Amino acid sequence: MPASPRLLHLVKYRSLWTHVRRKVTTWSPVGAAFNAKPLRRLDLFDKNVGLFGVPELSCPEGFQAATQTALKNTELLLHRACSCSPGVETVECFDQLSDGLCKVADLADFIKVAHPDPAYRDAAEKTCIEIGTVVEKLNTNVELCKSLKNLLVNPKVAAELDPDTKRVAELFMFDFEISGIHLDDKLRKQAVALHIKLLDLNNEFLISSHVPNRIAKSAIPEHLRVHFGSEGSFIQIGGLHADSPDDLLREVAYRIYLYPNADLMECLEELLKCRYKLAKLVGYDSYGHRALKGTMAKNPETVMSFLQLLTEKLSQRTAKDFQMMRDMKKKLNPRNAELMPWDHPFLSGLLRAERYNIEPSLYSPYLSLGACMEGLNNLFSQLYGVSLMSEHPGAGEVWSDDVRKLAVVHETEGLLGYIYCDFFHRRDKPHQDCHFTIRGGRWCQETDQYQLPVVVLMLSLPHPTKSAPTLLTPGMMENLFHEMGHAMHSMLGRTRYQHVTGTRCATDFAEVPSILMEYFATDYRVISQFARHYETGQPLPESMVARLCESKKVCGAADTQLQIFYAVLDQIYHGKPQNRSTTEILKEMQEKFYGLPYIPNTAWQLRFSHLIGYGAKYYSYLMSRAVASMVWKQCFVQDPLNRHAAETARHRGLCGRPGV
């Protein structure tokens, strides 16, 4: 950036924060950056560097150019991989090939759901389909597979491979096997066709599952209409309003938001049929068996045993939790005391608040976004020697003015990568906290440098105001720590190959580092370092943190049982065909594994977007929570700021894969 615009930015930045920090003058640069309300950039004369600094992506049409470049490089690497002598070079070619496609596809995968401009979203969606089609064809390319097989079946060559290289080669071979490489030409073509069809179905379901439902304004009571978005004579309902104290509002939102959409129902049914057909074609009993082969759980039978065991262990506590909720509802509404699915989130929260006085508004002033980011910065510095440094993005580098860019810097290893923080609510933005890998880390033999990872964290927080920064509830703060756990998994895992970088690992392990971060988010020894009132600077009292931790035990069994129900539903959907509708399956599983009644004319499964990214693997959250609990108890419960324990965990692959 030229000197004069840089100076202008610094002046703007300084004046920006003045009105917010009148009474508190101790925020770190990272804390200040996230507690400030950014002004619109004056970058009319700055060169557009493109999204994420990719020059081609300075306009929607650039996606096609980036795609064509990636495909040309793919052809070159394909020839090289098939012609080079078996050895390390073969695996490096495979990884470069994978990396070149992933860098375009992963970026497009994010932009298609997050960019506010429909033209960018459409262009990114086309790129996802085009790259995805090429990937599926490569996964059934006989010559490509043969070059890898020649490497692995030759004892002498295989023995010369280092453990990391051999493991990556085996993982690439595994991808060939589950894609149907062993089939004859005719059946391989059928497998590719099914893969390509699934790309379209996955995309359709994922996008449609977030679309609001509409209903005529006249169909709901007038006093409730103000709570929903309006479109002419219609009301738009885009969520469950689960935390509302109004029973009728929660019920209306539940019934309308979950009302079945015939087209989306057909999409889901076809998606599940295609997944099963593909699994059978390539030699598996079900899609679940295919999806779980490379995981910690290994197979659906192990998963169902795990979920059944959890249900049995929790049954008495779950029953007590639901009875407490019924008693609370009877107390609040004697005329309508039956416990319904829309009551669970609200009543469990109310019970916690009543028993332990943990009203979120009492905590929020101590949990400004800047304070929490400062706390994360301090935590990572003490555990890993890592600092988060706020950087000013170039013109066109980010998709919204309120996106913040962080450089992650290690005290001895230097720059580890970049985190883009898309934290604030925006119209048409998915209301789901999540982590996206934009570029994986790897050692580049061709440049003799490390390719720095790039990730995005997406939340949906309220914007700062003129009088206050963004204030988080305890739940929001915990979610922030969770998602940052994913980001640091990507940053700390300095792997040689991008095929195994960061969260590109077994799905039921990928959640372990992020869930582990939730333990830090509720430990007073950590919280006391950053939680302070945004106006007075007073620290959050230890007694309030203790009450918050104790409150988590209230209705904890019922909350876990709900997650078990979701995981079971996911397993049944991806098992052998049931010859009945997904709604009938949901009704039976809800009665068996949850306990609250199914509501006629609702189809919660059509909002279960995790069926796409976590198909047959939703249990991962529960299994990862069990593993994270063990890691916490073994490594951090005595001292959550133990540098030695953190470094040991990092190099064992618990908080990030081993270094290069």
Side-chain angles (χ1 to χ4, degrees):
M1 184 187 292
S4 54
R6 187 185 296 275
L7 180 61
L8 176 62
H9 166 66
L10 290 174
V11 171
K12 283 195 304 179
Y13 177 79
R14 190 173 180 183
S15 62
L16 249 179
W17 182 235
T18 304
H19 73 273
V20 181
R21 60 181 301 200
R22 284 174 188 155
K23 298 180 181 179
V24 178
T25 58
T26 56
W27 300 118
S28 69
V30 167
F34 281 86
N35 271 354
K37 186 176 182 180
L39 296 176
R40 291 186 62 84
R41 288 172 51 96
L42 297 176
D43 53 18
L44 298 177
F45 303 106
D46 290 345
K47 181 181 178 181
N48 190 319
V49 300
L51 291 168
F52 297 102
V54 179
E56 295 94 329
L57 301 184
S58 57
C59 62
E61 295 73 22
F63 271 101
Q64 186 59 29
T67 301
Q68 292 309 309
T69 298
L71 295 183
K72 286 180 182 178
N73 290 336
T74 295
E75 287 297 321
L76 295 173
L77 287 165
L78 179 60
H79 174 74
R80 184 177 151 205
C82 292
S83 59
C84 67
S85 299
V88 175
E89 185 183 357
T90 307
V91 182
E92 290 172 350
C93 281
F94 269 77
D95 197 60
Q96 285 182 47
L97 198 158
S98 173
D99 180 57
L101 293 171
C102 285
K103 279 192 290 192
V104 179
D106 289 345
L107 191 157
D109 200 43
F110 167 72
I111 292 298
K112 77 177 183 183
V113 298
H115 204 290
D117 185 344
Y120 269 100
R121 295 200 300 269
D122 291 344
E125 184 178 327
K126 290 175 183 175
T127 286
C128 287
I129 293 172
E130 191 168 355
I131 296 286
T133 300
V134 171
V135 169
E136 299 308 337
K137 289 179 178 178
L138 288 173
N139 283 340
T140 52
N141 185 305
V142 175
E143 287 302 311
L144 189 61
C145 179
K146 186 178 178 181
S147 69
L148 191 64
K149 197 170 185 178
N150 289 339
L151 169 73
L152 291 171
V153 298
N154 187 321
K156 183 179 178 182
V157 175
E160 293 174 352
L161 299 178
D162 61 90
D164 287 346
T165 300
K166 187 176 182 182
R167 174 60 178 154
V168 170
E170 290 169 344
L171 288 172
F172 277 120
M173 182 56 72
F174 176 69
D175 290 340
F176 280 120
E177 291 169 354
I178 65 172
S179 297
I181 194 67
H182 54 284
L183 303 174
D184 60 35
D185 288 347
K186 182 181 178 181
L187 294 179
R188 273 202 311 275
K189 288 178 181 177
Q190 288 182 24
V192 171
L194 283 169
H195 274 296
I196 293 171
K197 184 176 181 179
L198 279 168
L199 288 174
D200 290 332
L201 289 169
N202 289 345
N203 189 61
E204 180 184 346
F205 184 82
L206 190 61
I207 292 174
S208 300
S209 66
H210 295 292
V211 174
N213 272 344
R214 298 197 314 165
I215 191 170
K217 288 182 178 178
S218 58
I220 65 173
E222 187 173 354
H223 73 281
L224 296 182
R225 298 172 193 170
V226 68
H227 297 284
F228 307 115
S230 62
E231 183 183 337
S233 60
F234 290 91
I235 290 291
Q236 280 195 335
I237 299 182
L240 294 174
H241 292 256
D243 296 327
S244 172
D246 189 321
D247 285 3
L248 183 57
L249 176 62
R250 295 197 307 276
E251 180 178 354
V252 166
Y254 188 96
R255 289 183 180 275
I256 297 174
Y257 183 61
L258 299 184
Y259 191 79
N261 176 297
D263 291 337
L264 188 53
M265 185 74 77
E266 184 179 343
C267 174
L268 176 59
E269 301 276 5
E270 185 63 22
L271 187 155
L272 295 175
K273 286 178 184 176
C274 279
R275 285 181 171 177
Y276 177 73
K277 189 174 181 180
L278 174 64
K280 291 295 289 183
L281 183 63
V282 298
Y284 293 88
D285 288 343
S286 70
Y287 185 83
H289 285 87
R290 178 181 181 269
L292 296 176
K293 187 169 182 184
T295 63
M296 290 193 292
K298 305 298 184 186
N299 56 62
E301 291 77 19
T302 301
V303 173
M304 286 302 293
S305 294
F306 169 67
L307 297 174
Q308 187 68 55
L309 179 63
L310 271 181
T311 297
E312 292 169 3
K313 294 284 186 182
L314 291 172
S315 60
Q316 291 185 347
R317 289 169 54 196
T318 300
K320 289 180 181 178
D321 287 351
F322 282 142
Q323 189 56 52
M324 283 195 300
M325 292 183 207
R326 289 187 184 93
D327 293 343
M328 175 60 76
K329 187 169 184 181
K330 187 175 182 180
K331 178 181 172 183
L332 296 172
N333 190 353
R335 293 180 298 176
N336 185 18
E338 184 180 1
L339 188 64
M340 306 300 283
W342 53 78
D343 294 322
H344 180 161
F346 171 70
L347 292 177
S348 60
L350 191 63
L351 284 163
R352 293 184 188 107
E354 183 182 73
R355 186 168 298 186
Y356 291 100
N357 189 25
I358 56 158
E359 172 60 40
S361 62
L362 298 175
Y363 288 81
S364 291
Y366 297 93
L367 300 175
S368 69
L369 177 57
C372 293
M373 292 303 296
E374 188 173 296
L376 284 163
N377 187 30
N378 291 338
L379 179 63
F380 294 142
S381 176
Q382 292 173 83
L383 290 180
Y384 304 111
V386 165
S387 297
L388 306 176
M389 297 185 178
S390 180
E391 283 199 4
H392 188 59
E397 185 176 350
V398 295
W399 48 99
S400 181
D401 288 338
D402 56 16
V403 174
R404 312 293 210 275
K405 179 183 179 183
L406 294 176
V408 182
V409 183
H410 191 274
E411 59 190 12
T412 59
E413 298 172 32
L415 182 61
L416 296 183
Y418 294 99
I419 303 171
Y420 290 82
C421 301
D422 187 357
F423 283 172
F424 301 104
H425 174 78
R426 185 170 64 247
R427 186 179 178 183
D428 296 331
K429 176 181 173 182
H431 293 275
Q432 194 170 0
D433 298 345
C434 44
H435 160 273
F436 292 85
T437 296
I438 304 300
R439 183 176 71 200
R442 74 179 181 95
W443 182 257
C444 302
Q445 295 290 337
E446 59 273 27
T447 63
D448 201 32
Q449 290 183 324
Y450 196 80
Q451 175 175 287
L452 299 176
V454 175
V455 304
V456 173
L457 297 188
M458 181 186 284
L459 307 176
S460 193
L461 303 176
H463 288 269
T465 65
K466 290 182 179 180
S467 59
T470 294
L471 303 178
L472 277 58
T473 64
M476 290 175 181
M477 185 263 284
E478 197 170 302
N479 286 349
L480 171 62
F481 272 61
H482 178 102
E483 299 303 335
M484 191 60 79
H486 282 309
M488 294 308 293
H489 190 179
S490 295
M491 296 296 118
L492 292 169
R494 304 280 283 185
T495 51
R496 178 176 174 182
Y497 299 104
Q498 70 83 34
H499 195 62
V500 291
T501 188
T503 54
R504 287 175 181 157
C505 57
T507 306
D508 49 9
F509 177 82
E511 293 294 332
V512 172
S514 54
I515 292 174
L516 183 62
M517 283 296 296
E518 295 177 21
Y519 286 90
F520 290 96
T522 53
D523 191 295
Y524 183 71
R525 293 165 293 182
V526 176
I527 295 176
S528 62
Q529 295 195 337
F530 69 88
R532 57 194 190 279
H533 201 285
Y534 76 98
E535 288 182 312
T536 66
Q538 291 297 309
L540 179 65
E542 184 173 2
S543 60
M544 289 180 66
V545 178
R547 293 203 306 271
L548 183 64
C549 292
E550 284 299 309
S551 73
K552 288 181 175 293
K553 300 174 185 176
V554 177
C555 298
D559 293 345
T560 301
Q561 194 60 51
L562 179 59
Q563 293 299 312
I564 293 171
F565 158 54
Y566 296 159
V568 167
L569 189 66
D570 177 43
Q571 288 299 306
I572 302 300
Y573 281 167
H574 290 102
K576 293 182 179 180
Q578 300 267 320
N579 297 318
R580 51 184 177 150
S581 72
T582 56
T583 301
E584 289 173 319
I585 295 171
L586 179 140
K587 181 180 179 181
E588 181 186 339
M589 293 304 112
Q590 184 165 330
E591 291 171 354
K592 187 175 180 180
F593 286 95
Y594 185 31
L596 297 188
Y598 164 76
I599 305 303
N601 296 315
T602 64
W604 178 85
Q605 73 273 23
L606 300 184
R607 300 296 183 180
F608 195 9
S609 59
H610 280 82
L611 288 173
I612 302 306
Y614 281 78
K617 298 178 183 177
Y618 190 80
Y619 75 92
S620 298
Y621 289 98
L622 291 164
M623 187 168 283
S624 291
R625 190 164 294 281
V627 175
S629 174
M630 289 190 291
V631 174
W632 174 260
K633 290 174 183 175
Q634 291 176 12
C635 301
F636 298 107
V637 72
Q638 297 299 323
D639 178 9
L641 304 175
N642 186 326
R643 176 74 178 265
H644 175 72
E647 292 288 0
T648 300
R650 177 190 179 188
H651 289 288
R652 287 180 178 173
L654 294 174
C655 301
R657 289 181 174 271
V660 178

